[in-house]
Structures are given as C-alpha cells and as structure tokens.
Amino acid sequence: MLRWRFGLRWRLALGFAVILALALGSVAVFTGKVAEREVTSVQAEQDRVRAGRIVVALAEFHATNGGWDGVQRFVDRVSFQTEREIVVIDAHGNVVADSALDHDGPRGRERLGRIFREHGSEHDRPVPPQFFAPIVAGDTLIGSAAVAPRGRGGFVPRGPMVPEGGSTSDAEPQLSRFADAVARALRIAGVAAGVAGILLVILMSRRMLASISSLTVAARELGNGNLSSRAAVRGNDEVSELGRAFNSMADALQDSERQRRNMVADVAHELRTPLTNMQGHIEAVQDGVLEPDASTMDAMHRQAMFLNRLVDDLRLLASTESRDFQLVVAPVSIAEIVTQVGESFRPRAETASVDLSVSLEDDLPMLELDRLRIEQVLVNLLDNAVAHTPPAGRISVIAERIEDTVRVTVADTGPGVPVEAQPYVFDRLYRVDPSRDRATGGSGLGLTIARQLVEAHGGAIWVNSEEGSGSRFGFDLPVADS
C-alpha cells in the first residue's frame, strides 16, 4: 500500500491534479471577477438609459399637464413598471413626488420638501443634490429627478446621473443568473477537466511505468547474477532509450563473462599441456625410461620457455587492460622503428628462406608514441608473418601516410586467414589452426596484446586476407597536431 501511495504513478497523478486545480482555480477567480464586472457595467448602462427615459417622461408629463399636479400618481405608476425608486423636485427645490413615501396633498409635499432641504430626522432617506438629473423644457429648468434601482441599497453614487445599488443582488435577475451560470459552468468544467486529466495521466504513465518496471526487474535479476536478463523495450522515447542502453550493457557484461570463462578454460588448457609434458619427461627419467641427457633437458627447457612466455603474455595483457596502464609517450620517428624492427627480423627470415623487405614513404611525420610498445606491436605482427610464410615466400613491411594517420602494414604470402576467422584473430588465445603445436603456434595472445597497445595510442589494428593468397596485417596511428 505504501509503495503504491508513494509510487511514481501516484505522484504524477497528484502533481497533475494540483497543477490543474491551481490553474482552473485561477481561471475561475479571474473569469468570475470579469463576469461580475461586466454584469455591473451592463447594469449601470441599463440604469443610465432607463433613468434618462424616466427624466424624458417627466419632462413630457410637465409639458402635457402644464405643471407638476398629479405627478405623484405618474411616478408611482412608472416606479411600479420599471422597478425604480424615483424622487422629483421642482425648480424651487420642493419635493413634488417620491415613489417610496406616502403624500397627503400639497401640504404633505411641502412638508417633505422642507425636511428634504433641511435633512431633518423625520425624513429617513435624504438624497444629496449630486444624485439629481435636471428636467428641462427648452432652456428652462423645471425640476430635477433622482432614480435608483429598487432594493436595499437605496441611492448610492454611480455616475453623473444614475445611482447604483449597493451589491450585485441589485442587478436584474437575468444578469445575476448570467454571472452565476458562468461560475457554475467553470466549476463543472474544472471538475470534469480534473477527472479527465487525472485519468489521462494514469493511462499515459501506465505505459511508461511498465517499461520502468520491466527495467527494474531486469536490473534486479542482472544484479543477482542472471546475465541473460533483458528489459522489454517498446517505442522510441527516453525510457526506451534507457532500456536499450541497459540491454547493451547487459550484452557487454554477458560477453565479458563469457570471454572470462573461456579465457580461464583456455589458459588452464594451455598450461596443462606443457606441464603434462614436463611431468612425463621427469617421471620417465625417474623410472629410467629416459636418460637425463641433453636431448631430454632441451625438450623440458622448451616447455619451460613456453610456460614462461605464456605467463609474460598474460601479465602484459592484464596490464594493458588495467585502468592504471600508462604509456610513456614522446615524439618518435615511426620510420626509425619500422627500419630497426625489420632489420632485427632479417636473419630469422633468411634462415627460413623468406625474403623480407622494408618500404618507407618519404617525409613520414614524427608521432607521439610509446616507442617500446609500438615496437612490441610490430614484433608480434612480424613474428606471425615469419611463422606462417613458407620457404621462398615474401614479407613486406610498408609505412605510409594516409590523411591524418600513419599506416604500417605487414604483408606475407602465407596460407592466409579464412574470412570466417578474421573477426576473431585478435581475441584472446584464438588460433586460426587449432591443430598447430603450441611451440609453433604461439600462445594465441600476441595479436590481442597488439590490439590493446594500438588502441591505447588512439589507433586501430586490422586484417585483410584471402585464404591461399596471403595476409595483410596492419595498424593506423593518428598524427598529432602541431
């Protein structure tokens, strides 16, 4: 329950709901204020128009009747029809009609006019002069009138002519209903949008979180040692990219583990053969089957030398694959390295009746290299070439510049490397011909070490060969900027 409550899906839905509530609440408040202001503005305009019509009607009444006699009945009728409170005074300031008060003939009106002028306590609603609009006949002032909506507010200043009600409850019913309808519609729309938004977030997050859940399960299984575990990947979004990256990492880990197990098995196999041979020679000498002569000692010495070379190669390979491995880099002439290593192999090539030639392009640049390591790379390539080239064959060592790299190629006329074997020739302990004797076939680590050393320099090593037509092994080294 706690996991679901604090899960990503719940937090996404809750966060979206809060944001949506804030947004809709802000919109509702703003729209409500605008609607209220517009309703008030429309009501004020209606009040002005109706007050003007009432003033015009009073002027016509005065012109028709020749004075204000009988105006009280006219004001009562107009007040009932328009739902307005009306106060009319004549040109001398006397109240001649008031829709909210009872009158007892001219004396009553005179009394009310006097109270009105004096703002006495017997009159409970004196109207200040600024609320009265003039009633004119031609250019003659015949009186003034004050008009206000009927309600609790009474006469409240609203404009130069028309008073305003004290609250929105004084608005006409249809306008009040309009403001209420707007607010109610916003509340309904907010609730509906919130529910729809939360459902949409849940549905959209379901797919995303399904990928994350699959990735979590796969990561947990991978951590428990199941290197075949993979995450299910669907789509092209960021979570899918994360899933693909995880699967690539799992593939690399599984391949690394496979190589590690294969290497342990291959090293054990490589060590077992010479050790078994040495053990057999020693037991044969102990049993008197063999004499401890020079021939027997020479055979045991060859096995010991092979063991020693295998151990050295394993140590060097482990060193090149370590994060602490460092190159001693300095400006070096690649032409000088190729020449010296090539000349050092010439006696061995002549002994094997193999023609060895070295070809250098003019003006090869100086390179930032670890001289000892690059010499070791070239030695490994030449050692393989001499070992696999038959008598009367040829070995060519070529150094040339190709764009921003210097390429060193060792080409031979040996049996070549099958196409299906070329992707694996640089793997640990790999032999193209597994049946070759370890004394002639080497440890199977020379090309692996060469690849590690070249890549440590930022270069690349490659092979190009056709079975029966010889092989071309080479490496490219970058030319440093000036």
Side-chain angles (χ1 to χ4, degrees):
M1 180 65 180
L2 290 177
R3 182 178 178 182
W4 179 86
R5 181 179 300 175
F6 297 102
L8 183 58
R9 181 181 302 174
W10 168 249
R11 284 184 286 174
L12 283 174
L14 182 61
F16 181 82
V18 171
I19 294 174
L20 188 63
L22 291 176
L24 291 175
S26 301
V27 171
V29 171
F30 176 76
T31 308
K33 293 293 184 181
V34 172
E36 182 180 350
R37 186 172 67 248
E38 290 300 318
V39 167
T40 304
S41 176
V42 171
Q43 182 66 61
E45 187 64 24
Q46 288 181 348
D47 289 343
R48 291 188 182 93
V49 172
R50 291 175 181 176
R53 290 174 180 174
I54 291 173
V55 170
V56 171
L58 289 171
E60 292 177 351
F61 175 86
H62 187 277
T64 302
N65 294 276
W68 294 116
D69 292 338
V71 70
Q72 180 64 47
R73 288 189 300 275
F74 177 77
V75 166
D76 290 339
R77 183 173 67 253
V78 172
S79 174
F80 176 77
Q81 293 173 347
T82 62
E83 297 184 351
R84 294 294 188 270
E85 295 184 8
I86 305 171
V87 176
V88 182
I89 61 177
D90 60 15
H92 303 290
N94 297 314
V95 177
V96 293
D98 189 340
S99 62
L101 299 175
D102 294 330
H103 301 275
D104 186 16
R107 292 184 178 180
R109 288 195 295 274
E110 291 177 1
R111 179 177 58 82
L112 291 175
R114 183 177 65 256
I115 296 174
F116 178 79
R117 287 193 301 273
E118 297 176 356
H119 287 199
S121 59
E122 295 182 20
H123 196 292
D124 61 349
R125 57 188 210 105
V127 183
Q130 63 265 28
F131 295 110
F132 284 86
I135 304 174
V136 296
D139 295 332
T140 304
L141 179 67
I142 59 175
S144 302
V147 181
R150 183 176 298 168
R152 293 190 304 271
F155 293 92
V156 178
R158 185 179 183 83
M161 179 173 64
V162 183
E164 176 189 3
S167 65
T168 56
S169 62
D170 298 330
E172 291 189 347
Q174 60 269 28
L175 295 177
S176 300
R177 287 196 297 270
F178 168 75
D180 294 339
V182 170
R184 184 168 57 254
L186 285 174
R187 287 193 295 269
I188 295 174
V191 173
V195 173
I198 293 174
L199 292 177
L200 184 62
V201 167
I202 292 175
L203 292 176
M204 292 180 64
S205 63
R206 190 174 188 177
R207 179 180 176 183
M208 179 182 69
L209 295 179
S211 300
I212 295 178
S213 299
S214 173
L215 185 60
T216 302
V217 172
R220 186 178 295 111
E221 292 183 359
L222 188 69
N224 292 332
N226 182 13
L227 298 182
S228 62
S229 176
R230 298 293 183 272
V233 178
R234 294 185 298 271
N236 294 311
D237 54 9
E238 291 80 359
V239 177
S240 300
E241 288 295 327
L242 178 61
R244 279 188 281 272
F246 173 84
N247 290 341
S248 297
M249 179 193 69
D251 291 339
L253 288 175
Q254 189 175 25
D255 185 65
S256 177
E257 178 64 15
R258 178 186 59 79
Q259 292 183 10
R260 184 190 67 81
R261 292 179 180 178
N262 291 342
M263 183 176 179
V264 171
D266 290 340
V267 168
H269 179 72
E270 295 293 330
L271 292 174
R272 183 172 61 247
T273 300
L275 288 174
T276 300
N277 291 338
M278 292 178 65
Q279 181 181 358
H281 281 82
I282 294 173
E283 290 176 351
V285 170
Q286 289 177 341
D287 295 339
V289 177
L290 290 177
E291 295 292 332
D293 52 13
S295 171
T296 302
M297 299 302 294
D298 184 59
M300 295 176 62
H301 181 262
R302 285 196 304 271
Q303 298 299 324
M305 289 296 293
F306 175 78
L307 284 174
N308 186 63
R309 182 177 178 181
L310 178 61
V311 172
D312 287 342
D313 287 346
L314 288 172
R315 179 188 58 78
L316 179 58
L317 181 61
S319 176
T320 58
E321 293 180 342
S322 172
R323 293 186 177 181
D324 298 330
F325 178 70
Q326 294 182 349
L327 300 173
V328 182
V329 177
V332 178
S333 170
I334 189 66
E336 182 179 341
I337 293 177
V338 172
T339 301
Q340 290 181 355
V341 175
E343 290 301 323
S344 68
F345 270 83
R346 194 174 297 279
R348 180 179 168 185
E350 292 175 353
T351 301
S353 301
V354 174
D355 180 37
L356 176 63
S357 64
V358 177
S359 176
L360 304 175
E361 186 179 284
D362 296 336
D363 299 327
L364 288 175
M366 301 287 286
L367 302 180
E368 295 288 333
L369 304 174
D370 186 327
R371 183 187 183 105
L372 181 62
R373 301 304 187 186
I374 296 302
E375 286 181 352
Q376 189 172 8
V377 172
L378 190 53
V379 165
N380 286 343
L381 296 182
L382 279 171
D383 185 64
N384 283 341
V386 172
H388 292 85
T389 303
R394 296 187 310 276
I395 297 176
S396 301
V397 183
I398 305 169
E400 57 187 338
R401 178 165 183 171
I402 299 178
E403 296 181 351
D404 293 333
T405 63
V406 171
R407 173 169 292 180
V408 178
T409 305
V410 177
D412 61 58
T413 57
V417 180
V419 175
E420 63 274 9
Q422 291 181 21
Y424 309 105
V425 294
F426 297 105
D427 290 350
R428 302 183 186 100
L429 301 172
Y430 182 82
R431 290 191 181 89
V432 176
D433 184 4
S435 66
R436 289 182 62 86
D437 180 75
R438 286 157 183 81
T440 59
S443 65
L445 295 174
L447 291 178
T448 305
I449 294 172
R451 181 185 63 182
Q452 294 292 113
L453 294 176
V454 170
E455 292 178 351
H457 283 83
I461 194 168
W462 48 270
V463 59
N464 186 4
S465 177
E466 292 183 8
E467 193 170 6
S469 300
S471 302
R472 291 172 62 87
F473 283 84
F475 57 92
D476 300 331
L477 298 173
V479 177
D481 296 334
S482 300

